[in-house]
Amino acid sequence: MIESFAIVPATSRGIWWVVALVAVIFVALMTLLLVSARGSTGSRFEISDDGLRIHGDLYGQLIRTASLEGGAARVVDLDVDTALAPKRRTMGTAVPGYRSGCFRLRNGREALVYLTDRSKAVHVPTKAGFDLLLSPHNPERFIERLREIAPGA
């Protein structure tokens, strides 16, 4: 004969707080992952007289014209010019095929990165204490337009 005994119900609500905390963390991580996934295909770079506005995931911003060194901007292959390759993420997203946010480059400089194509990245130094490393469509036209608004280097 089998006799079954149920556990005495816990009087503490601690387990439910843990479940709620795990659920909140899970939802937050999934939201960040979805925002990053959208950023990897939907980010864009707008150049105007005001400067370079980056629209993307969490790290988009406006870099004013006075801070841009357009004359020093160039297309780089990060597999060849390894000093400019992102080395360490300080705050951002790093998933296969997409990096965005703040990174330390191999040369020690900080950079705001929106990178999907390592072979045709655009490197733009700034006077704001960080570099830009971007993957725009038509990088040559991007640099040409950047030099129109910020020719100095």
Side-chain angles (χ1 to χ4, degrees):
M1 177 167 115
I2 298 175
E3 194 171 345
S4 179
F5 298 88
I7 191 168
V8 174
T11 56
S12 170
R13 294 183 188 154
I15 187 72
W16 295 110
W17 285 108
V18 171
V19 168
L21 180 63
V22 169
V24 166
I25 291 171
F26 177 77
V27 168
L29 288 174
M30 288 305 297
T31 300
L32 285 174
L33 191 60
L34 290 171
V35 167
S36 291
R38 193 184 118 245
S40 71
T41 59
S43 294
R44 66 184 194 283
F45 314 109
E46 293 177 354
I47 299 174
S48 69
D49 291 338
D50 291 335
L52 171 62
R53 182 172 301 279
I54 300 172
H55 295 276
D57 50 20
L58 302 173
Y59 310 100
Q61 60 181 284
L62 171 67
I63 296 95
R64 299 248 175 234
T65 303
S67 295
L68 295 168
E69 296 183 18
R74 62 190 173 110
V75 177
V76 295
D77 181 341
L78 297 175
D79 293 325
V80 175
D81 195 348
T82 57
L84 295 174
K87 179 179 181 182
R88 184 171 40 92
R89 174 182 43 167
T90 55
M91 179 178 284
T93 301
V95 294
Y98 179 60
R99 291 177 186 238
S100 71
C102 300
F103 286 76
R104 174 93 45 200
L105 303 180
R106 291 199 184 277
N107 66 6
R109 301 244 327 143
E110 287 285 331
L112 177 59
V113 173
Y114 273 85
L115 189 62
T116 55
D117 185 352
R118 294 177 54 90
S119 67
K120 290 190 284 186
V122 174
H123 174 255
V124 184
T126 73
K127 298 172 188 162
F130 61 91
D131 293 352
L132 299 170
L133 200 55
L134 311 172
S135 290
H137 278 288
N138 196 348
E140 292 80 12
R141 176 64 187 135
F142 177 87
I143 291 173
E144 182 181 309
R145 180 69 179 112
L146 195 62
R147 288 180 178 162
E148 288 173 8
I149 66 153

